[in-house]
DNA sequence: AATAAAGATTCACATAAAATGCATCTTAAA
DNA sequence: TTTAAGATGCATTTTATGTGAATCTTTATT
């Protein structure tokens, strides 16, 4: 059972932006910090923009910033939006061919468990993830001043 | 977010066996019913044997049957045993390189959510999944008598 | 205007985890 | 001794996911 790295990185982007609210952060900077390619991170960022979590400003001096208040961004919501699918097993899919399906109670048990999972994540917001902003900033090796790189 | 088909089929095997407690069921029969290869299903069965959920009897007239009472087999337990890993995101793995890790609260939030997921599954047992045994038997097209195929 | 720095888009490729199945071995009933 | 069953190991295929190059678009600065 895994969550895709897309979702993982999406959360890291939000944490990064939440830790640096006073400036625009570029994809390049974050890609370098996360040690992945600019193009790769771009996809995740594009998705976050589409979903209204963040805003991208093009052109010189541009960059990214949060569009919503950290306390208003639930981890559950991010996971729900970023994950490609929650069809835990075959019978969740429309083309399921499992003979048992019509009389099977497994599906509803799994659905309930999935709900419990997401609802648990709903209790945490981005604000909770960045409570210790100074600590995060030092971990990311960023200061209030834009790093030279 | 997915659960492997191995786990999915493992649960189906248990349901199948739970629905036919009066006889030994062969892998061949179940493979045919699930429309997958014998060899493939074998791996799942082997694992269930190793984990003590079922028993395999070799030789002519052999087959599989449950070793434990359905009410004693929790869905959560099966999932925990069959799934290859629950490292939801990179930072769950020992070789994680995420800079944020030391100050990050995401991991614990995800761990809590995962626990909620599994604990929810713990509330359902195999007995709950096979309450309507006659229905399942007709869906599987098995009767009390061994099918000719 | 021109240039440079940023995000956006499209395409193609790489990788690893799952899934799948073949061939062969072992066991035990008939 | 034959047949029907499970057990084991190996090889292959498939697919989701991850990855990045190249190019386009936008905008601040000079």
């Amino acid at each position: 059972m895994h969550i895709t790295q897309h979702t993982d990185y999406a959360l890291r982007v939000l944490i990064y932006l939440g830790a640096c609210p006073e400036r625009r952060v570029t994809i390049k900077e974050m890609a370098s910090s996360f040690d992945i390619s600019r193009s790769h991170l771009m996809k995740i960022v594009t998705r976050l923009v589409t979903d209204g979590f963040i805003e991208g400003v093009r052109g010189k001096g541009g960059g990214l910033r949060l569009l919503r208040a950290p306390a208003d961004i639930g981890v559950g919501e991010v996971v729900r939006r970023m994950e490609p699918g929650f069809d835990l097993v075959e019978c969740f899919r429309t083309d399921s061919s499992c003979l048992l399906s019509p009389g099977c109670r497994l599906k509803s048990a799994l659905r309930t468990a999935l709900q419990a999972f997401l609802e648990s994540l709903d209790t945490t917001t981005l604000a909770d993830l960045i409570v210790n902003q100074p600590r995060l900033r030092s971990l990311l090796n960023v200061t209030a001043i834009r790093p030279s790189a």
Side-chain angles (χ1 to χ4, degrees), chain A:
Chain A
M1 205 163 106
H2 300 286
I3 276 176
T4 63
Q5 279 187 249
H6 265 61
T7 304
D8 188 3
Y9 281 123
L11 288 163
R12 295 197 213 178
V13 165
L14 294 175
I15 291 170
Y16 202 121
L17 296 180
C20 306
E22 79 289 354
R23 66 183 174 94
R24 297 206 185 95
V25 182
T26 67
I27 289 177
K28 191 178 170 188
E29 176 185 334
M30 285 192 288
S32 153
S33 168
F34 298 159
D35 198 30
I36 59 175
S37 86
R38 209 177 133 272
S39 323
H40 189 204
L41 187 56
M42 183 71 71
K43 276 181 201 144
I44 293 140
V45 162
T46 300
R47 184 68 183 285
L48 287 170
V49 169
T50 303
D51 285 351
F53 289 110
I54 65 178
E55 175 189 43
V57 178
R58 289 187 180 189
K60 203 166 180 177
L64 309 164
R65 69 179 154 198
L66 292 176
L67 261 187
R68 294 162 51 182
D72 186 45
I73 299 180
V75 175
E77 184 186 351
V78 177
V79 172
R80 266 182 273 248
R81 297 275 200 109
M82 298 298 295
E83 276 294 295
F86 291 99
D87 40 338
L88 289 176
V89 293
E90 186 199 315
C91 62
F92 276 66
R93 291 188 272 278
T94 50
D95 63 335
S96 169
S97 64
C98 179
L99 290 176
L100 297 167
S101 290
C104 189
R105 313 208 165 188
L106 182 58
K107 192 172 172 179
S108 75
L110 285 169
R111 197 174 355 224
T112 301
L114 178 60
Q115 250 167 29
F117 176 80
L118 292 170
E119 278 165 17
S120 170
L121 289 182
D122 284 336
T123 65
T124 303
T125 71
L126 183 56
D128 300 317
L129 300 182
I130 59 176
V131 278
N132 199 346
Q133 204 184 85
R135 181 80 199 281
L136 289 175
R137 291 171 77 105
S138 82
L139 285 171
L140 290 169
N141 206 19
V142 294
T143 59
I145 294 112
R146 188 71 152 277
S148 55

